[in-house]
Amino acid sequence: VGSEMCIRDRGEMPTSRHIVITGTSRGLGRALVQPLVDLGHTISGCGRSASAAEAFNQIYGAPHRFDSVDVGSGSRVAAWAGEVLSDNGPPDLLLNNAGVINRSAPFWEIEEDEFNALVQTNVCGSANVLRSFLPAMIAAGRGVIVNASSGWGRHGAPDVVPYCTSKFAVEGLSQSLAEEVPGGLAVVSLNPGVINTEMLKRVWGDGARRFPSPETWAQSAVEMLLSLSAADNGKQLSLS
């Protein structure tokens, strides 16, 4: 089992890569796109918003591509992954970032439908993406997978029980999958820290303003993400 660690300076930037990012419609996924493109990397991104995907496609164009995809749909993710692999090949870096959070409330006040929808996106969605891209990465013999976790995936908290449940599941998925992937690949979980995203605002309201914006966070996150290698397999990472 990988030990929790804090990553800061990991050395020189790698060469150009194909990077797949889920959840690019908003938040951290959206904030990562521009700095990664600026560094010369090819981005294949998805999010639920068709308008956001269209805007990105107009800004960046091929070989970058952005699509409207609900990661909770296994068939839609599989179709999208097939198109991405055909266009750009297997990802060198897969950022499994898409996620949602529940409204702030005690667990017994959260309806079944809300709980199930959150798990469908955060847990089943992560699994759908992995299932669709992993075979090509294994065949290529390389690649790093980063599954977005949270401090609330390692420590419980009130009023966000569904979200905590999903992120604890992502931690278990990451640790177990790291034991299965062959040499040359790495699977890690990442607690990105506390960021002023729309998700955090849903829980903390105006209190979220005390924390860095996604764009500020991305400035340090990009270097760390690009520094990961097969040697990091199984680690539980935190960015601070």
Side-chain angles (χ1 to χ4, degrees):
V1 176
S3 59
E4 181 170 349
M5 59 183 295
C6 182
I7 300 295
R8 290 184 177 87
D9 185 8
R10 294 293 298 271
E12 296 182 0
M13 291 288 181
T15 56
S16 179
R17 297 181 179 185
H18 174 211
I19 302 175
V20 170
I21 311 174
T22 66
T24 54
S25 293
R26 57 186 174 85
L28 304 187
R30 185 182 185 90
L32 286 169
V33 172
Q34 185 66 58
L36 288 170
V37 170
D38 287 345
L39 289 170
H41 302 291
T42 297
I43 310 301
S44 299
C46 76
R48 289 187 178 181
S49 171
S51 61
E54 181 180 359
F56 269 144
N57 283 324
Q58 290 179 350
I59 293 169
Y60 300 114
H64 312 290
R65 59 171 295 158
F66 297 87
D67 296 277
S68 175
V69 180
D70 178 357
V71 296
S73 169
S75 60
R76 181 67 186 95
V77 172
W80 172 65
E83 295 169 0
V84 168
L85 292 170
S86 177
D87 283 354
N88 293 324
D92 300 295
L93 178 60
L94 170 57
L95 304 180
N96 218 350
N97 165 76
V100 295
I101 199 165
N102 59 279
R103 61 188 174 85
S104 183
F107 170 71
W108 53 88
E109 294 181 8
I110 302 292
E111 298 293 335
E112 177 184 0
D113 288 349
E114 182 177 358
F115 184 94
N116 290 349
L118 183 148
V119 170
Q120 186 66 31
T121 295
N122 294 6
V123 182
C124 298
S126 295
N128 289 337
V129 172
L130 293 169
R131 189 180 299 112
S132 297
F133 284 101
L134 252 177
M137 297 174 74
I138 291 171
R142 69 179 191 279
V144 174
I145 294 168
V146 179
N147 292 322
S149 183
S150 169
W152 287 338
R154 299 170 186 174
H155 311 283
D159 296 330
V160 284
V161 169
Y163 184 77
C164 290
T165 299
S166 72
K167 292 304 182 179
F168 268 87
V170 167
E171 290 285 342
L173 171 64
S174 301
Q175 290 294 297
S176 300
L177 186 58
E179 297 290 332
E180 294 185 346
V181 295
L185 276 73
V187 181
V188 305
S189 60
L190 173 65
N191 167 20
V194 185
I195 318 298
N196 182 14
T197 62
E198 292 300 320
M199 286 176 58
L200 189 66
K201 290 175 185 175
R202 189 175 184 191
V203 179
W204 287 355
D206 289 342
R209 295 179 181 175
R210 304 195 309 268
F211 300 97
S213 68
E215 292 73 23
T216 299
W217 171 86
Q219 292 174 9
S220 58
V222 162
E223 183 175 359
M224 183 275 284
L225 291 168
L226 293 174
S227 73
L228 297 173
S229 70
D232 295 300
N233 188 40
K235 290 180 179 177
Q236 294 172 286
L237 308 179
S238 297
L239 185 64
S240 64

